[in-house]
Amino acid sequence: MRFSPRHTLALAALFAAPLAHAAEVNLYTTREPGLIQPLTEAFTKSTGVKVNMIALKDGLAERVAAEGERSPADVLMTVDFGNLVDLVEAGVTQPVSSETLASAIPANLRDDEGHWFALSLRSRVVYAERGSALSSITYENLADPQWKGKLCIRSGQHPYNTSLISAHIAHHGEAATEQWLRGMKANLARKAAGGDRDGARDILGGICDIAVANAYYAGQMKSPDAKGDQKAWGEAIKVVLPTFEGGGTHVNVSGAAVARHAPNRAEAIRLLEYLVSDEAQGIYAAANYEYPVKPGAPVDPVLAGFGELKVDPIPLEKIAAHRKLASELVDKVGFDQ
């Protein structure tokens, strides 16, 4: 059978059609899928780009490194700036130059060469009894003898605390940080253990007067949806935003990077840029009571009630460089014993 040129073109188009596909982006994340799904759905609705989400409990860097050049990963998303730095050191990221990202994210909250970007903030704060007169405090003051037997905190080796200790090293050096840790250990009302919510529980129970914890846990406990023990613990406390002397409030972050061998690089950058939009920053706040990384973006009313967050200006990269020393100091002073 002979085909006319018109039929030949039609057949060629027919057979080529299955090869075409809608724009998509592959997201590898260690974040709770339920927190990320509202963001990915909003991105797809806004752009038409489909997001294929692969949720990992841990081992993000190892997974992508093992996949090598054939890795389908486009965007790598995780919590804790130490994990973001680990991705760079593992060689699984690539630099990105984006005016949108650079203008939305303060320089101290992103990699100098564009390998990773913070997307939301988690402040390390102090919980105090709701009727307490305490209205301000420095991190340095946590070691003051006035708090002897009155301080609750989780393990010093937990990433939330090693990052805070690393920030103290960045501000004051190793020797001063060792003394600070010894002072805080002497002030403990109980063994450094448990979780951040336990600090609120133990304030309600009269075990401690103050506790070091993340603000977003307080947001959850003070949420209109909180029930039972969580609600009671939230009602028992108020949140004080500490600062370093001459600095600001310490924050950790959730953040993301573009994978080194991203097959959909343009879409990956487009997703990161969407995640710092006012719309996405508002979704972050509503989903998990995290602060927006973009200055001027809306803050959840519960978080806003804690006061204005003034982020410590020391670059997260500089703080991350002290993680190993911070962990060694925790062991040296027997903080968790």
Side-chain angles (χ1 to χ4, degrees):
M1 179 181 287
R2 308 183 83 183
F3 294 100
S4 69
R6 180 169 59 84
H7 286 137
T8 300
L9 289 173
L11 286 171
L14 176 64
F15 285 109
L19 299 178
H21 62 274
E24 62 181 9
V25 62
N26 300 315
L27 169 65
Y28 281 27
T29 180
T30 60
R31 298 217 63 185
E32 176 63 38
L35 298 176
I36 302 306
Q37 190 171 352
L39 289 160
T40 59
E41 290 177 349
F43 171 71
T44 298
K45 183 178 180 180
S46 174
T47 65
V49 178
K50 179 184 177 184
V51 180
N52 304 310
M53 182 165 57
I54 295 88
L56 304 171
K57 185 175 181 181
D58 50 33
L60 177 59
E62 292 79 4
R63 165 77 175 265
V64 179
E67 291 174 344
E69 294 182 6
R70 296 185 178 182
S71 175
D74 293 310
V75 174
L76 311 177
M77 180 184 291
T78 189
V79 295
D80 185 69
F81 58 79
N83 290 328
L84 292 165
V85 170
D86 288 343
L87 291 175
V88 180
E89 293 179 349
V92 297
T93 64
Q94 62 172 286
V96 168
S97 177
S98 163
E99 181 57 37
T100 298
L101 293 171
S103 61
I105 305 171
N108 61 312
L109 301 175
R110 50 185 164 86
D111 178 65
D112 282 346
E113 297 181 358
H115 277 273
W116 59 263
F117 302 87
L119 300 173
S120 64
L121 309 178
R122 301 168 156 202
S123 57
R124 200 72 177 142
V125 302
V126 166
Y127 297 171
E129 196 276 323
R130 185 178 60 183
S132 167
L134 184 69
S135 60
S136 65
I137 191 171
T138 65
Y139 293 110
E140 292 85 353
N141 187 244
L142 294 172
D144 193 289
Q146 70 173 307
W147 301 114
K148 187 173 181 62
K150 299 177 180 180
L151 172 67
C152 286
I153 193 170
R154 71 194 305 163
S155 167
Q157 291 293 6
H158 192 280
Y160 294 163
N161 284 332
T162 54
S163 67
L164 176 61
I165 297 164
S166 298
H168 193 283
I169 295 171
H171 276 277
H172 302 295
E174 177 180 353
T177 301
E178 179 180 337
Q179 290 304 116
W180 178 65
L181 285 173
R182 292 189 185 280
M184 281 203 296
K185 178 176 172 56
N187 288 343
L188 293 178
R190 55 161 169 78
K191 183 177 180 179
D196 281 4
R197 290 184 183 90
D198 294 339
R201 177 200 66 190
D202 291 345
I203 288 174
L204 176 60
I207 296 172
C208 47
D209 288 0
I210 60 171
V212 178
N214 278 354
Y216 75 89
Y217 288 112
Q220 293 170 358
M221 292 185 289
K222 290 179 174 292
S223 160
D225 299 326
K227 298 177 181 179
D229 286 343
Q230 301 282 324
K231 182 178 178 65
W233 300 343
E235 290 177 344
I237 64 168
K238 66 178 181 180
V239 173
V240 180
L241 298 179
T243 60
F244 282 107
E245 294 173 357
T249 299
H250 174 66
V251 297
N252 211 318
V253 303
S254 74
V258 173
R260 181 177 181 179
H261 301 294
N264 303 294
R265 186 177 189 274
E267 289 78 11
I269 296 173
R270 194 174 181 186
L271 175 57
L272 292 188
E273 291 178 341
Y274 171 77
L275 291 174
V276 296
S277 67
D278 285 348
E279 179 183 36
Q281 292 284 288
I283 294 172
Y284 263 118
N288 199 38
Y289 298 98
E290 297 179 359
Y291 288 92
V293 71
K294 182 180 181 181
V299 178
D300 183 89
V302 175
L303 290 184
F306 301 159
E308 182 183 359
L309 176 66
K310 297 180 180 179
V311 176
D312 192 51
I314 290 187
L316 296 182
E317 282 187 296
K318 182 176 180 180
I319 295 172
H322 299 299
R323 287 178 297 158
K324 183 174 184 294
L325 177 56
S327 177
E328 291 171 350
L329 289 176
V330 169
D331 286 342
K332 182 177 181 180
V333 306
F335 193 83
D336 292 346
Q337 296 174 5

